[in-house]
């Protein structure tokens, strides 16, 4: 599209390309301000450009949006504006070229969305591979000569990395005292060991075992079901996920995951947590059984 303006920004030439691009016939726009096709949000920028052209002579190939006739549909355009002088070099107006890039931009945006979708898919595949690798490593450690302590530390380290939790705590169930004993942890201070044994009854962990699935608790420090509110406040933890570790009706223990920012746990898949919990429960059971038989 080619448009010529006088120095007051009034349209004096409006070619067939402009008619096709913007929908206005020549007789509808001659003598009117070019701002009839400029969106309100772009008026200040457009005026700045025109003043710059008057001073410098031209502004080349900048991207903008312009309005079409009717309901004001937007088109994406590349705009080049040049100063027009008379034979004596006196400024008399502007020459504007518009190139319609709406379809090209739409295609570019669509390609960008597809590219991002592919990137997300690769990220998801990468996460799934890491999940499988860690679960396989835990299983292999369970039947190796490594110590039970090594297995415990691997479990808390792996789940913290996979979930981006700020802390992870592993406890084993003691059927004689009906309590849960702290075995391994990451992301917490030494003070956490002051709660090395907590009751199983009337606890969030008991609730998780009744449901046989992971449960999530927001604002954990003020939840009456949680027994370590003071420690949680000290560490700034706000969200807790409790993963029960069990084999059929046998209680093995629990995994507790903590986050300072609740958004960290927004997209965690409960299916993964439950599968991870099953692998951990079985691995701990096997490792403890091997240890007893070895003795």
């Amino acid at each position: 599209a080619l448009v010529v303006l006088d120095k007051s920004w009034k349209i004096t030439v409006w070619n067939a390309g402009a008619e096709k691009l913007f929908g206005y016939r020549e007789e509808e726009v001659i003598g009117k301000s070019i701002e009839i096709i400029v969106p309100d949000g772009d008026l200040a920028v457009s005026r700045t450009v025109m003043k710059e052209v008057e001073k410098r002579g031209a502004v080349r190939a900048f991207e903008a949006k312009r309005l079409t006739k009717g309901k004001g549909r937007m088109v994406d355009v590349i705009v080049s504006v040049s100063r027009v002088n008379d034979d004596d070099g006196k400024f008399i107006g502007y020459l504007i070229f518009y190139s319609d890039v709406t379809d090209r931009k739409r295609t570019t945006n669509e390609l960008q969305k597809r590219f991002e979708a592919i990137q997300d898919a690769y990220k998801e595949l990468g996460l799934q591979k890491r999940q499988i690798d860690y679960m396989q490593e835990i299983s292999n450690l369970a039947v190796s000569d490594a110590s039970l302590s090594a297995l415990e530390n691997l479990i808390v380290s792996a789940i913290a990395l996979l979930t981006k939790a700020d802390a992870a705590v592993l406890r084993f169930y003691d059927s004689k005292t009906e309590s849960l004993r702290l075995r391994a942890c990451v992301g917490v201070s030494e003070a956490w060991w002051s709660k090395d044994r907590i009751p199983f009854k009337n606890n969030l962990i008991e609730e998780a075992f009744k449901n046989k699935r992971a449960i999530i608790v927001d604002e954990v420090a003020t939840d009456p079901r949680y027994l370590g509110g003071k420690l949680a406040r000290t560490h700034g933890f706000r969200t807790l996920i409790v993963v029960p570790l069990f084999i059929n009706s046998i209680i093995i223990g629990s995994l507790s995951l903590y986050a300072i920012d609740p958004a960290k746990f927004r997209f965690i898949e409960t299916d993964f947590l439950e599968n991870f919990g099953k692998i951990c429960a079985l691995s701990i059971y096997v490792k403890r059984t091997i240890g007893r038989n070895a003795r």
Side-chain angles (χ1 to χ4, degrees):
L2 181 149
V3 179
V4 177
L5 312 178
D6 64 19
K7 62 182 180 180
S8 299
W9 306 348
K10 299 291 179 60
I11 299 169
T12 59
V13 174
W14 184 265
N15 78 344
E19 289 188 358
K20 182 178 179 181
L21 178 56
F22 299 113
Y24 291 99
R25 297 190 305 277
E26 183 181 26
E27 59 268 25
E28 294 179 283
V29 296
I30 295 297
K32 292 184 178 180
S33 170
I34 191 63
E35 291 184 350
I36 64 169
I37 63 168
V38 180
D40 289 343
D42 286 354
L43 284 173
V45 173
S46 178
R47 291 166 185 170
T48 299
V49 168
M50 301 300 270
K51 290 175 182 177
E52 189 69 18
V53 169
E54 186 177 343
K55 293 177 184 177
R56 291 173 43 199
V59 173
R60 307 291 185 191
F62 64 94
E63 191 172 314
K65 289 185 179 294
R66 292 296 181 259
L67 293 167
T68 61
K69 184 181 177 181
K71 294 183 179 180
R73 181 179 67 88
M74 294 275 195
V75 289
D76 293 294
V77 291
I78 298 295
V79 188
S80 293
V81 188
S82 299
R83 171 181 165 135
V84 177
N85 298 327
D86 62 14
D87 293 340
D88 297 324
K90 183 180 178 181
F91 167 62
I92 59 172
Y94 306 84
L95 176 64
I96 308 178
F97 289 97
Y98 297 96
S99 298
D100 183 6
V101 293
T102 304
D103 290 339
R104 188 179 77 189
K105 191 166 183 180
R106 185 184 299 117
T107 300
T108 300
N109 289 341
E110 186 61 33
L111 288 172
Q112 181 64 29
K113 288 178 182 178
R114 291 183 185 181
F115 175 70
E116 289 171 358
I118 291 170
Q119 280 189 315
D120 290 341
Y122 273 115
K123 287 178 183 177
E124 180 63 26
L125 286 172
L127 175 60
Q128 289 178 2
K129 184 179 184 305
R130 289 197 301 275
Q131 291 172 351
I132 292 168
D133 287 346
Y134 272 120
M135 287 192 283
Q136 184 176 0
E137 189 176 349
I138 288 167
S139 300
N140 290 339
L141 201 63
V143 294
S144 73
D145 293 331
S147 65
L148 177 59
S149 176
L151 176 62
E152 295 163 356
N153 289 324
L154 174 60
I155 287 171
V156 293
S157 297
I159 195 64
L161 286 168
L162 291 171
T163 62
K164 295 183 171 58
D166 293 303
V169 176
L170 173 66
R171 293 182 182 272
F172 285 178
Y173 177 65
D174 184 342
S175 59
K176 292 180 180 178
T177 60
E178 291 193 330
S179 63
L180 291 150
R181 298 207 60 180
L182 182 59
R183 297 291 303 191
C185 54
V186 292
V188 295
S189 68
E190 287 293 324
W192 209 269
W193 287 94
S194 66
K195 291 281 186 181
D196 68 322
R197 187 190 294 270
I198 60 174
F200 176 75
K201 295 291 185 182
N202 304 315
N203 193 323
L204 280 169
I205 298 173
E206 183 185 26
E207 185 178 327
F209 275 100
K210 285 179 179 178
N211 296 328
K212 289 199 170 182
R213 62 183 306 167
I215 60 172
I216 186 166
V217 181
D218 289 319
E219 303 304 333
V220 63
T222 57
D223 194 300
R225 299 169 297 170
Y226 182 68
L227 304 180
K230 184 177 180 181
L231 279 173
R233 281 191 295 273
T234 300
H235 287 74
F237 297 147
R238 293 183 57 193
T239 304
L240 164 68
I241 296 178
V242 179
V243 183
L245 307 181
F246 61 91
I247 301 172
N248 295 328
S249 60
I250 303 172
I251 301 172
I252 301 298
S254 67
L255 263 175
S256 298
L257 311 177
Y258 297 87
I260 296 171
D261 180 3
K264 280 192 173 185
F265 290 160
R266 191 170 296 158
F267 301 109
I268 288 181
E269 295 182 359
T270 54
D271 286 348
F272 158 68
L273 290 176
E274 288 165 16
N275 288 331
F276 188 88
K278 289 173 184 177
I279 290 293
C280 291
L282 185 59
S283 298
I284 292 166
Y285 181 82
V286 168
K287 176 60 75 175
R288 292 167 73 177
T289 302
I290 291 174
R292 283 194 295 269
N293 290 341
R295 290 194 297 271

